[in-house]
Amino acid sequence: MSDSTSWSNRTLTAYALHAPAAIASWSRAARPSPWLRKFASLCPDRGLVLDYGCGIGTDLLWLKAQGFEVAGMDGTPAFLKRAARRCPKANLHEVRFESVQLPDSSYDGIWCRASLLHVPPEELGRHLWMFRTALRPGGILGLTLAWGRGASFTDDSDWIPGRYVVAYQKAQVLAWFSRGGWELHGATVVSHDGRDGRWVQILASPAGVVV
């Protein structure tokens, strides 16, 4: 296992081992979150929305019910299997975050909730650029990252031990967007917005595009 992909391999292994616990927890979670509602209100009507790190597809199902076309990507087969049952008309793909490439100008919205907390900072920068180019004019990115400091693999006290988790201060995240060619439509730090923990939430569109 190379150092460059150990974060991905270990995180995928952790989720595979603890998939039943994750599925049970997410199935009980309240939906939709206020941030998801705000994201949806900014997306072009009836547009194509990608849920990047879609998990078991709960947000996909809600977005579909709002009239959006939906697609989902995740790295855990058990989650995608459950997502396919919940939202059978969604276009779903199994991907690895370190190697995925999105086609340019393909989505009207990209929803990325608590997914990129599992990638190192250099991968976060690559993803933000990829998301920017993958959005169509008028498109919106909804991003949620863990709030805090530092990066580590979680220990046995975590409900999914062995995951790689990176936490950020709000100022760090805003700096990424400032230098990455984005226009912000919302930036906040919240607790327990549908999931336990403290989160940095962003809504943004490629700079120069009117929303």
Side-chain angles (χ1 to χ4, degrees):
M1 183 187 304
S2 70
D3 290 340
S4 62
T5 59
S6 64
W7 56 270
S8 179
N9 292 331
R10 290 176 64 177
T11 299
L12 289 174
T13 297
Y15 275 118
L17 287 173
H18 300 278
I23 290 170
S25 176
W26 294 336
S27 296
R28 293 191 299 267
R31 294 290 197 275
S33 72
W35 206 244
L36 177 58
R37 288 182 179 275
K38 188 170 183 180
F39 165 80
S41 74
L42 293 173
C43 283
D45 290 344
R46 312 190 75 81
L48 174 59
V49 176
L50 171 66
D51 189 343
Y52 190 81
C54 63
I56 64 173
T58 310
D59 290 346
L60 275 175
L61 184 61
W62 184 84
L63 287 164
K64 182 69 175 176
Q66 309 315 302
F68 295 104
E69 294 299 315
V70 292
M73 295 182 177
D74 204 278
T76 301
F79 299 164
L80 287 169
K81 185 176 181 180
R82 183 60 63 96
R85 292 177 185 170
R86 303 186 85 172
C87 196
K89 293 185 178 181
N91 187 11
L92 302 176
H93 298 277
E94 182 181 348
V95 300
R96 291 182 65 106
F97 286 175
E98 73 271 27
S99 58
V100 67
Q101 298 290 332
L102 300 179
D104 290 352
S105 301
S106 297
Y107 303 103
D108 299 294
I110 298 176
W111 177 245
C112 186
R113 184 184 188 192
S115 301
L116 293 186
L117 58 87
H118 297 309
V119 308
E122 61 270 20
E123 270 294 316
L124 175 60
R126 184 185 76 83
H127 272 80
L128 291 180
W129 178 255
M130 179 175 67
F131 291 163
R132 186 180 183 278
T133 59
L135 284 168
R136 294 169 179 160
I140 290 289
L141 170 65
L143 175 69
T144 301
L145 297 169
W147 178 90
R149 298 182 188 276
S152 64
F153 290 96
T154 59
D155 60 23
D156 288 342
S157 66
D158 187 50
W159 71 292
I160 305 289
R163 302 180 296 167
Y164 179 76
V165 174
V166 185
Y168 297 91
Q169 294 292 293
K170 180 181 175 182
Q172 290 178 279
V173 181
L174 293 179
W176 280 105
F177 279 86
S178 177
R179 62 177 177 259
W182 293 90
E183 180 179 351
L184 289 175
H185 302 284
T188 188
V189 176
V190 300
S191 298
H192 305 291
D193 184 20
R195 293 188 183 182
D196 290 341
R198 195 160 172 80
W199 308 97
V200 181
Q201 297 179 320
I202 300 290
L203 292 171
S205 60
V209 177
V210 177
V211 176

